[in-house]
Amino acid sequence: MKIINVNASEKYNVVIGSGILKDAGSLTASAIKSKTAAIICDSNVGAIYASTVEESFKKAGINTVKYIFPAGETSKCPEQYIKLLEFLAENHLTRKDAIVAVGGGVTGDLAGFAAATYLRGISLVQIPTSLLAAVDSSVGGKNGIDLTAGKNLAGAFYQPDIVICDVEAFKTLPKKEFISGMAEVIKYGVISDKELFDILASEDTAKRLMEIPESYVNIKEKNERCKELDREFIEEIVARCVAAKAHIVEEDEFEGGLRKLLNYGHTAAHAIEKLTDYEITHGEAVGAGMVIAVEYAEAMGKCSKETVEKIKKIIDMYKLPGSIEVTAEYWGKERELLAADKLTNAALSDKKVANGSIDLILPEEIGQCVIENVDTAGLKGFFEGKVI
Ligand SMILES: NC(=O)c1ccc[n+]([C@@H]2O[C@H](COP(=O)([O-])OP(=O)(O)OC[C@H]3O[C@@H](n4cnc5c(N)ncnc54)[C@H](O)[C@@H]3O)[C@@H](O)[C@H]2O)c1
């Protein structure tokens, strides 16, 4: 088990281990003193893990109520957010109680926003079950919902009281979702951890990681040593990403500067997600966004061809769509639907646009990125891969 301490405006621990879901109640009880916990899950995760979490809370002397919503990004919406608040009120949750988000980034963002705003803020426990949520969305305190105009347009900065990550949960994660999470793992390598990037870029690591959802499922037929090795390995990867994020959040919790680096690949990703009606997952879109950003960085003379090739290769190794062409093909629609002007318009609704300009995160080399502010014309050039 690994514990990473986050020293933001609120201090809390991220506990990473194998088989620790059944201890979620006692781990929570050691961090907060709540009498009742509202356990929030989407329909997929609820069917698999809600009862284990409920039991562990009951064992720790915490009453539970449970709220299940339909799985998918479209549930990260105002209607679902209001339904959740009404549920909390109907069940008389008080300021002393807690919200427990068990699931992927959609659950964490939706439940986190409810925790930040219900009764002006109640305790929050994040229990990420997707790789993406484990390495990124459950840590750092950002939450929110999507509006018709764009992604994450309503939300808050609100730190959890504890994050409990059981890597065993990845055994039931669909491979597509595991791959989606790998995009955020790779992101940490590019923005701040060259050593992590190099580990991920080895054929051996890629093979080992890409086998994780399946190897867990088939584990009974394999030997126990293999099982232990994989668990330790994935715990280590998650811990490394969480440590990188914790460091950035500690330095710049409210995204004045350094934290913007975490948006590497995300300007294009949010536009792609919006145009594809969220049929392309967040991580898949981030994969494409990272390639678009590094190609633009090269066009601007900020990085070498070698850096572009390294990023394209790793995106390919982890089977992420890496360019607009491949993304459109993967989506099964015409390339024209993701044309540069359409992407530019979609990106202009990004919450990071201020006074007609936006900060792009561009790699200079592996492990180091810079922030480049561009206007609307520059943004179109960004999507066309040329400097305007
Ligand atoms: N707040 C932040 O800092 C932050 C950072 C990055 C991403 N995000 C947000 O996170 C969301 C993406 O997160 P996500 O990829 O986890 O999406 P998600 O929550 O929709 O989960 C993906 C799918 O996997 C399923 N799932 C999750 N864990 C499972 C498990 N253990 N077993 C079986 N199925 C499981 C879910 O039911 C869902 O169908 C996006 O909305 C994105 O904007 C937020």
Side-chain angles (χ1 to χ4, degrees), residues 42-45 48-49 71-73 76 103-109 129-133 136-139 141-144 146 151-152 169-174 177 180-181 184 187 245 259 266 270 273 281-283:
D42 75 17
S43 44
N44 297 334
V45 173
I48 315 174
Y49 298 111
E73 180 74 28
K76 229 177 89 172
V106 166
T107 306
D109 279 7
T129 60
S130 71
L131 176 61
L132 188 143
D136 200 349
S137 58
S138 63
V139 180
K142 268 199 200 176
N143 58 53
D146 307 331
K151 246 185 99 78
N152 300 329
F170 303 155
K171 75 182 175 191
T172 56
L173 194 59
E177 300 300 343
S180 184
E184 300 283 10
K187 176 188 81 178
K245 181 147 188 188
R259 189 165 181 168
H266 283 60
H270 289 168
E273 285 181 270
T281 69
H282 181 69

Side-chain angles (χ1 to χ4, degrees), residues 1-2 16-20 166-168 171 208-209 212 215-237:
M1 196 160 81
K2 295 175 170 54
I16 302 156
S18 307
I20 60 170
D166 184 348
V167 302
E168 285 275 327
K171 75 182 175 191
R208 212 164 154 193
L209 283 176
I212 278 180
S215 70
Y216 271 116
V217 171
N218 299 325
I219 212 81
K220 292 254 146 43
E221 292 138 43
K222 294 192 175 181
N223 63 48
E224 285 299 306
R225 194 172 122 70
C226 168
K227 183 175 165 185
E228 291 312 321
L229 272 178
D230 277 350
R231 278 176 174 161
E232 252 178 52
F233 185 50
I234 188 72
E235 274 181 36
E236 210 174 291
I237 298 277

